[in-house]
Amino acid sequence: MTATPPSPDEIVAALETPVDFDFQLPDPEDEEIQEAEFQQQLDAIWKLCDRFDLQTDIWRGRILRAVRDREKKGGDGRGTGFLNWLKAREITKSQAYALIQLANSADTLLAEGTLDPKSINNFSKRAFLETAKSAPEVQRLIGEAAQKGDRITRREVKQLSDEWTAMSSELLPEEVKEKAAQGSLPPRHLAPLVKEMEKLPDIHLKPIQKEIAESPDLDTVKHMTSSARSLAKYLDAAAQVQTLKNSPIDLEMALEEALRLDCLNTTADLVKQATQLEQTVAKLYTTWKRLGSLSDRLYVDTGASNPNLRSLLTTLEVLTSEVIEVSLDEAGDRAVRLRIMTQGNS
């Protein structure tokens, strides 16, 4: 069943903005104002501006969505009218779609009943964006906090998200969850561990789960988070290195040895760099072929009557020939030479 969207009156009430923006800022040179009071006055005004910023962008997103949808229905099929509308108001296409996404998120959260229309004013703009990207369960927790009148910033969103991640994950042993529930293991440290563990296959999860179950303390959690991160990096990179795929190396045994010698992080970085080097070489070859093709085309299109263009081509031969030479510094004291040898060449 499709949820009923909020009525215009509900939206107007929820997004009602202050009319008078002639704020009276406290005088920074007034020594009679205590520091705490000075900060409190500025914070109150800042929150109003923050709220206005969120409300304005939601409405801009709704306006842009209306223009886009109108264009889809009666435009030329290429979105020219929508693009012209953006151009006239100096709005980029990416900015427009970001605002439309914000408006969609606001309408969805309101229509699904996750947020009370009146509680939107309790959000900062960045917190609202983070809420829209959160899991439905987290959205409900945030909505309940906002409805109680709590001020919702990104810190609150992250805290609630971390708590939900830690307490709902099936990857964490019960011993760890109990410590989290008691408050001795902060969820903000458990959430990164869960995110790294989610990247690992089952075979690599058990040793981590066993260790944190035996020692459910902060130091163990931090150590296991680092290990899980390095492990995920190793597995991901090793699967991408073509050189390793063509060899009889037992990657699992190599991993076990790295773990035994406590050099997993170095091994993971090694494999990651190997991946990047292979990708760089592939890109180098593609660029080299393209450069050579363009040079051949320009050579055909020019003649002796174009000595400067011919000079340009001659100079660039150090990059288009089989041996590439590139200076590593401006003085030219250091250079690197690479020979391109494709399969089948001698």
Side-chain angles (χ1 to χ4, degrees):
M1 180 177 177
T2 306
T4 307
S7 68
D9 289 341
E10 288 178 320
I11 296 175
V12 170
L15 303 180
E16 183 179 359
T17 57
V19 217
D20 185 5
F21 282 91
D22 187 17
F23 297 125
Q24 295 299 316
L25 297 177
D27 186 353
E29 297 183 6
D30 189 347
E31 297 180 357
E32 294 183 5
I33 302 179
Q34 296 295 320
E35 181 64 21
E37 182 184 353
F38 179 79
Q39 294 293 339
Q40 187 177 12
Q41 290 184 37
L42 290 182
D43 186 55
I45 297 172
W46 182 272
K47 287 177 180 176
L48 284 174
C49 295
D50 200 14
R51 188 178 75 187
F52 177 74
D53 188 36
L54 169 62
Q55 296 162 350
T56 300
D57 281 353
I58 289 175
W59 277 109
R60 281 177 173 162
R62 289 183 174 126
I63 294 168
L64 290 166
R65 185 176 61 198
V67 175
R68 182 202 62 186
D69 293 348
R70 179 78 170 183
E71 176 71 13
K72 282 182 179 179
K73 185 175 182 180
D76 58 7
R78 299 193 302 270
T80 305
F82 179 56
L83 295 176
N84 288 339
W85 203 92
L86 298 181
K87 185 177 180 181
R89 288 155 183 81
E90 299 181 344
I91 303 173
T92 66
K93 195 173 179 180
S94 60
Q95 288 172 334
Y97 278 98
L99 291 170
I100 290 174
Q101 180 58 49
L102 175 63
N104 289 342
S105 299
D107 292 344
T108 300
L109 291 173
L110 288 168
E112 291 178 348
T114 304
L115 291 180
D116 186 300
K118 296 177 182 177
S119 68
I120 290 183
N121 287 339
N122 294 328
F123 284 82
S124 70
K125 179 183 174 183
R126 298 172 79 179
F128 192 86
L129 290 170
E130 290 298 321
T131 301
K133 293 186 291 185
S134 300
E137 294 83 357
V138 177
Q139 290 178 353
R140 280 195 289 273
L141 291 173
I142 296 169
E144 291 170 3
Q147 195 167 353
K148 288 189 295 185
D150 294 351
R151 176 67 180 164
I152 307 298
T153 65
R154 280 206 308 169
R155 178 183 298 177
E156 282 71 32
V157 175
K158 185 178 186 307
Q159 180 180 342
L160 288 169
S161 180
D162 287 348
E163 288 176 2
W164 179 80
T165 299
M167 301 311 295
S168 65
S169 175
E170 296 181 356
L171 299 177
L172 293 179
E174 288 304 318
E175 294 87 344
V176 176
K177 292 184 179 182
E178 288 175 9
K179 291 282 186 179
Q182 294 167 5
S184 56
L185 266 181
R188 70 176 183 273
H189 293 293
L190 293 175
L193 173 60
V194 172
K195 290 175 183 176
E196 295 302 331
M197 291 175 71
E198 287 173 346
K199 303 174 186 176
L200 301 176
D202 291 341
I203 190 174
H204 294 295
L205 287 174
K206 291 180 181 178
I208 295 176
Q209 291 169 328
K210 181 181 178 182
E211 187 153 349
I212 57 176
E214 291 176 350
S215 304
D217 54 61
L218 187 56
D219 288 340
T220 304
V221 167
K222 288 182 177 180
H223 179 64
M224 287 298 99
T225 301
S226 176
S227 296
R229 185 179 297 114
S230 296
L231 185 55
K233 187 194 299 184
Y234 173 86
L235 295 172
D236 179 62
Q240 297 181 49
V241 181
Q242 294 297 324
T243 305
L244 295 178
K245 290 181 180 179
N246 301 325
S247 70
I249 296 175
D250 189 327
L251 294 175
E252 284 295 332
M253 290 302 297
L255 174 60
E256 286 188 19
E257 292 174 4
L259 288 169
R260 178 168 52 82
L261 297 173
D262 197 22
C263 60
L264 175 58
N265 191 41
T266 304
T267 307
D269 283 340
L270 171 71
V271 180
K272 182 68 175 177
Q273 290 299 318
T275 304
Q276 293 179 357
L277 180 59
E278 283 189 344
Q279 293 172 350
T280 301
V281 170
K283 186 175 181 181
L284 168 66
Y285 178 72
T286 303
T287 305
W288 176 73
K289 290 284 289 183
R290 176 64 176 160
L291 183 63
S293 175
L294 292 171
S295 296
D296 292 342
R297 187 190 309 171
L298 188 58
Y299 184 84
V300 171
D301 292 343
T302 60
S305 59
N306 307 105
N308 293 303
L309 280 174
R310 282 299 174 91
S311 178
L312 172 67
L313 290 171
T314 301
T315 304
L316 289 178
E317 284 180 357
V318 294
L319 298 178
T320 59
S321 60
E322 188 178 275
V323 178
I324 301 173
E325 182 173 330
V326 179
S327 296
L328 297 179
D329 52 45
E330 293 184 3
D333 296 332
R334 300 179 61 208
V336 61
R337 292 185 181 89
L338 301 174
R339 180 182 294 275
I340 305 293
M341 299 177 65
T342 56
Q343 188 175 9
N345 287 13
S346 58

